[in-house]
Amino acid sequence: MTKRTFEDSRQEGGLHHRLAQLAGEWEGTTKTWFEPDKLADESPWRGTIRPVVGGRFVMHEYEGSMQGKPLSGVAIYGYHVDADRFEMAWVDSFHTGTSILFSKAANESRGYNVLTSYEAPSGPPWGWRTEIQQPEPDRLIITHYNIIPDNTIPGGLEAKAVETVYRRKR
């Protein structure tokens, strides 16, 4: 059995090829929820996604606002060929504070979908899931979900926390 290579993944239909399709200048709206189904903020956002390290990753730099205050961040999205999993490193001036959030998840043919957890001010860590969808070439949706710890439900309860809907700038 032949292992997949980075070069194979860059070919049409490969996962690195699909990541490369995210490259461009983007603008849209980001919605944020601090409580399930209770919208806390809706603000315009701008982002740039570009290939880095020879196309092995894409870097997403963005800026917008949260409740009237400036916000900026950077995420690096990747696909680990040998482990057959998606990976992400994310920092921004609001959501991650002074930490780097590292996420990963096995490629389950559901698209870019990664998981991690973060320390809550009190109690057990909360889960965090990030999903990236590109339903058409000029539209991009990045959604983050809080996973509320709950011992009675495997995996906890999931609630949409942040959703960015972008259109490619022309």
Side-chain angles (χ1 to χ4, degrees):
M1 181 175 196
T2 305
K3 269 195 141 180
R4 274 189 273 186
T5 67
F6 170 62
E7 289 306 318
D8 293 336
S9 186
R10 291 179 67 168
Q11 300 302 313
E12 180 84 33
L15 293 171
H16 280 90
H17 180 263
R18 288 180 24 210
L19 282 173
Q21 302 306 303
L22 303 176
E25 298 288 323
W26 300 89
E27 57 189 6
T29 302
T30 294
K31 296 178 181 179
T32 302
W33 296 264
F34 297 128
E35 299 174 44
D37 302 321
K38 187 175 177 185
L39 185 63
D41 186 72
E42 183 172 348
S43 303
W45 280 39
R46 292 183 310 277
T48 300
I49 300 176
R50 61 187 173 90
V52 293
V53 193
R56 287 169 175 77
F57 307 94
V58 294
M59 182 165 57
H60 177 202
E61 297 175 279
Y62 59 89
E63 57 184 30
S65 65
M66 168 64 67
Q67 298 177 329
K69 295 180 183 172
L71 180 148
S72 63
V74 175
I76 297 175
Y77 310 129
Y79 170 68
H80 187 311
V81 173
D82 294 333
D84 191 23
R85 71 175 178 230
F86 294 105
E87 298 179 344
M88 178 179 86
W90 176 43
V91 296
D92 84 6
S93 59
F94 178 80
H95 299 95
T96 66
T98 58
S99 69
I100 300 172
L101 199 64
F102 297 100
S103 303
K104 62 185 177 182
N107 173 20
E108 297 175 342
S109 301
R110 296 183 308 154
Y112 195 96
N113 192 357
V114 292
L115 294 166
T116 193
S117 63
Y118 64 93
E119 297 299 319
S122 63
W126 285 45
W128 187 260
R129 183 170 73 84
T130 301
E131 179 181 278
I132 301 174
Q133 299 175 328
Q134 191 173 20
E136 53 198 58
D138 293 336
R139 190 163 158 246
L140 180 61
I141 303 167
I142 303 169
T143 310
H144 305 273
Y145 298 88
N146 264 314
I147 303 170
I148 303 160
D150 182 337
N151 293 335
T152 63
I153 300 171
L157 301 170
E158 190 173 88
K160 190 182 291 189
V162 181
E163 180 181 67
T164 300
V165 178
Y166 277 141
R167 285 268 175 213
R168 191 181 299 274
K169 284 177 66 174
R170 292 286 175 196

